[in-house]
Amino acid sequence: RTKNKKKLNRMSLISVVFSFVLFYLTHINCSDTYIAVELIEGVIPKEVIHTHPKPCVTISRKDLGETIVRHWPRLLESRTPQWRTARPFGKLDYEGEAEFVVKLENYVAHTLSSSKSIVGEGEFSCKESDIDVIQPVYIKSKLESKHYVTIYVKCFVEDLEETLKHKKLFFVRHGESTWNLAQRNKRIFTLLTSRDNHLSIFGKRQALLACTKISCPVLTDIENDFVSTDVVYVSPLIRATQTAVLALKPILPRTGLVFDASLREKRNFGGKDSSGSLVGDRIKKEVCSQLVEGLKTDDALRMKSYCDNIEMDSSMIPSKWWQNSAETEENVHQRIENFLMKVRYSKQEKIIFVGHSHYFREMCKAHLDVSPIILPNESSQIDNPNLPFTQKIVQNLGAVYIDFDPSQEQMFASVQLLFDSRLV
C-alpha cells in the first residue's frame, strides 16, 4: 500500500509538471505575432501648448509591466512630436492582445524622467481586430483639466523577415553652397549671418556632373541599384533640395522626393546656415525659381517644366521644422534614430537620402562598427577601414552606399564610396 501511495504521488507530481508545461506552451508563449505602433497625428489644444510648449510622446507596454518603452521626440522649434513614425513593441500576449500607456510629456532638461514633465496619460489596447485600425487616445491634461489631447495611433503586424532584412541605403551630400564658398574664401561675416544658402555656381556644376555620372551606361551593380532606387528623401534646406533636383534628374521623374526634417544639418553655435527659411510647398517654388534664374530662354523653359513636374511631398514640413539655436548631440541622435526607424518600416528596399556632411558623420559614429581588426594568428591589430567615416566628411556631391541591417544595434553593416567619391 505504501509503494502504491508513493507511485501515486509521483504520478500526481508528473501530472502537475506536465500541466504547467502545457499551459506555458499554449498560453504564455503561443503568440508569434510581433506588433509595432505608429504615431499618426494628434490634436493638442492651444491652452495645453501654452503651458507645455515642448510636447513629446512616450508609449509603453502596460501588460508587460512597462518593460518596453518607446519615445517619439518633439520636432525641434516645433510644438508637435514626431508624427508618422513607428516603433517595435514585441509580441502580442497569449490572448492575442497588448495594452499600452501613452504619456504626453513636456521636454525638460533633456530628460523624460521627471514626473513634473508629464502633461497627462491615456491608454489603449491592441487586439487582433485592431490591427491596421487608427485609434484615438484621449489624454486629460493634469494642469488644464478642461482640455483633452487626442493622439491617433495605429497597431500593425511587424513581419520580422521584412522589417529586419538588409536594405540598400544611399547617402548623397549636397553640392558646394554659397556658405561653403564663403568658408573657402574666409568671408567671416557671410559665415556668421547667412541663412539657408543655395548652391554656388560651382555647386550647380558639381550637381550636373553627378547627373552625367549616374546616367553613364556602364556602372557597377551597386551604382545601378542607386539609379533604380525606390524612394528619395531630402533635407528641406535649399542647398540639399537643389542638389537632388539637378543631380538626380534620371531618377526623380519616376520617384519624386519626400522632404524629411530629420535629415537637416546639425545646428552648431552661430551656424545660421543650418536654419531653414521656408515651409511646405514654398520650398519647391523657391528652388525652381533659383534654378531657372540666369538660364537662357530655352534652357529656362526646360528647367521650369522639369522642376514643376517633380512630385515633392512636403506634408511632413507644413510649419517651422528648424531651430534657431545650437543643437545638442542628443537632439541630433534622436533625429537620426527617427529617420532610421522610418527606413526600417519602409516597404522600399533601395532608398536615397540627400543631406549633409556632419549629420552623416554622426550617423556613422552611432551605427558603424569601427573597432580595430585583430589579425588572424597574431597579437597585432589594424585600424578598421570604416574609421575614416567617423573622422572625416564626405566631399560635396559625394555618394555613399550603406548596407543597412536593422537587426543589429549598429545598423550600418558596411559602407562604400560610389561614383569616385572621397572623404575630405
Side-chain angles (χ1 to χ4, degrees):
R1 185 180 299 177
T2 303
K3 289 182 180 180
N4 289 337
K5 188 175 182 179
K6 289 182 179 179
K7 185 176 180 180
L8 184 61
N9 288 339
R10 283 198 299 270
M11 291 179 65
S12 298
L13 180 61
I14 292 172
S15 178
V16 169
V17 171
F18 178 79
S19 298
F20 177 80
V21 172
L22 184 62
F23 176 83
Y24 179 84
L25 292 175
T26 58
H27 288 76
I28 304 300
N29 199 36
C30 73
S31 176
D32 288 323
T33 303
Y34 285 84
I35 57 168
V37 174
E38 181 178 3
L39 197 65
I40 306 294
E41 60 181 358
V43 179
I44 306 178
K46 292 181 180 179
E47 293 82 1
V48 176
I49 288 292
H50 179 72
T51 54
H52 304 92
K54 300 179 179 180
C56 52
V57 171
T58 296
I59 299 180
S60 56
R61 281 283 296 269
K62 181 181 178 181
D63 57 308
L64 298 180
E66 300 191 32
T67 54
I68 301 179
V69 182
R70 308 297 184 204
H71 300 295
W72 279 260
R74 74 181 181 96
L75 285 168
L76 295 180
E77 293 301 322
S78 173
R79 295 189 172 185
T80 64
Q82 296 269 12
W83 308 124
R84 296 174 61 183
T85 51
R87 305 286 189 269
F89 275 96
K91 292 182 179 181
L92 292 175
D93 66 15
Y94 70 91
E95 292 181 342
E97 185 176 4
E99 296 179 345
F100 298 90
V101 175
V102 181
K103 295 179 182 179
L104 183 68
E105 301 175 286
N106 194 48
Y107 190 80
V108 178
H110 306 297
T111 70
L112 297 175
S113 58
S114 173
S115 59
K116 293 181 181 180
S117 70
I118 298 177
V119 179
E121 297 183 8
E123 297 183 1
F124 73 99
S125 62
C126 179
K127 302 176 183 178
E128 292 184 356
S129 59
D130 297 320
I131 296 297
D132 294 328
V133 176
I134 296 177
Q135 301 184 57
V137 181
Y138 301 106
I139 298 173
K140 188 175 182 179
S141 171
K142 290 186 174 182
L143 295 182
E144 301 291 335
S145 58
K146 296 180 180 179
H147 303 287
Y148 281 85
V149 175
T150 306
I151 304 292
Y152 293 92
V153 298
K154 182 179 74 173
C155 292
F156 62 92
V157 174
E158 181 176 10
D159 183 348
L160 295 183
E161 289 188 5
E162 288 296 319
T163 60
L164 296 184
K165 72 180 180 182
H166 287 240
K167 293 183 178 179
K168 294 175 180 177
L169 196 56
F170 302 95
F171 166 68
V172 177
R173 185 190 172 192
H174 64 81
E176 183 191 72
S177 67
T178 52
W179 191 92
N180 296 139
L181 178 62
Q183 185 182 41
R184 185 152 48 89
N185 294 330
K186 300 180 180 179
R187 297 174 184 168
I188 305 300
F189 181 77
T190 301
L191 294 176
L192 294 176
T193 60
S194 61
R195 181 186 185 118
D196 198 9
N197 291 274
H198 53 79
L199 293 180
S200 66
I201 293 175
F202 182 64
K204 292 178 182 178
R205 290 174 182 169
Q206 287 178 315
L208 293 173
L209 178 60
C211 179
T212 302
K213 286 183 178 180
I214 68 176
S215 301
C216 178
V218 182
L219 297 173
T220 66
D221 290 342
I222 291 298
E223 290 170 344
N224 276 316
D225 286 330
F226 177 96
V227 176
S228 62
T229 194
D230 302 312
V231 63
V232 177
Y233 290 101
V234 180
S235 159
L237 288 166
I238 296 295
R239 58 191 181 274
T241 308
Q242 287 182 318
T243 297
V245 170
L246 291 177
L248 304 182
K249 191 174 181 179
I251 299 171
L252 293 187
R254 174 174 54 84
T255 65
L257 62 83
V258 180
F259 290 116
D260 192 329
S262 296
L263 296 175
R264 69 183 187 275
E265 180 59 299
K266 179 182 179 182
R267 175 66 153 85
N268 295 313
F269 179 75
K272 290 185 177 181
D273 183 51
S274 297
S275 293
S277 57
L278 299 171
V279 300
D281 294 335
R282 293 177 61 193
I283 295 177
K284 179 177 181 177
K285 293 178 181 178
E286 178 67 16
V287 165
C288 293
S289 174
Q290 288 183 0
L291 292 179
V292 168
E293 186 178 340
L295 296 178
K296 295 180 181 179
T297 304
D298 290 345
D299 291 337
L301 289 173
R302 279 192 291 269
M303 176 58 72
K304 185 177 186 307
S305 175
Y306 160 65
C307 199
D308 287 345
N309 286 312
I310 297 174
E311 183 178 342
M312 299 189 188
D313 183 351
S314 58
S315 61
M316 288 192 288
I317 51 168
S319 57
K320 186 178 178 181
W321 45 267
W322 63 89
Q323 69 178 67
N324 294 323
S325 57
E327 189 176 10
T328 65
E329 284 193 11
E330 178 190 7
N331 290 335
V332 177
H333 281 253
Q334 284 180 342
R335 291 198 282 116
I336 289 171
E337 296 309 308
N338 196 62
F339 177 70
L340 294 182
M341 280 292 110
K342 186 176 297 182
V343 172
R344 168 177 172 160
Y345 290 111
S346 173
K347 294 181 180 179
Q348 287 80 22
E349 297 185 8
K350 294 176 285 187
I351 299 170
I352 290 176
F353 65 105
V354 182
H356 308 273
S357 58
H358 293 285
Y359 178 89
F360 181 66
R361 185 169 61 187
E362 290 299 318
M363 262 188 165
C364 290
K365 287 180 181 179
H367 287 284
L368 191 60
D369 181 11
V370 295
S371 55
I373 297 174
I374 308 298
L375 296 176
N377 302 321
E378 295 183 28
S379 58
S380 59
Q381 59 185 29
I382 59 174
D383 286 341
N384 193 310
N386 292 333
L387 185 62
F389 285 89
T390 65
Q391 298 172 329
K392 299 181 179 182
I393 59 175
V394 179
Q395 70 175 104
N396 287 118
L397 245 303
V400 182
Y401 160 67
I402 303 114
D403 180 5
F404 180 72
D405 181 6
S407 68
Q408 302 299 316
E409 185 175 350
Q410 290 181 300
M411 294 187 242
F412 289 5
S414 64
V415 289
Q416 176 186 334
L417 292 165
L418 302 178
F419 302 108
D420 301 319
S421 301
R422 55 192 175 84
L423 301 175
V424 294

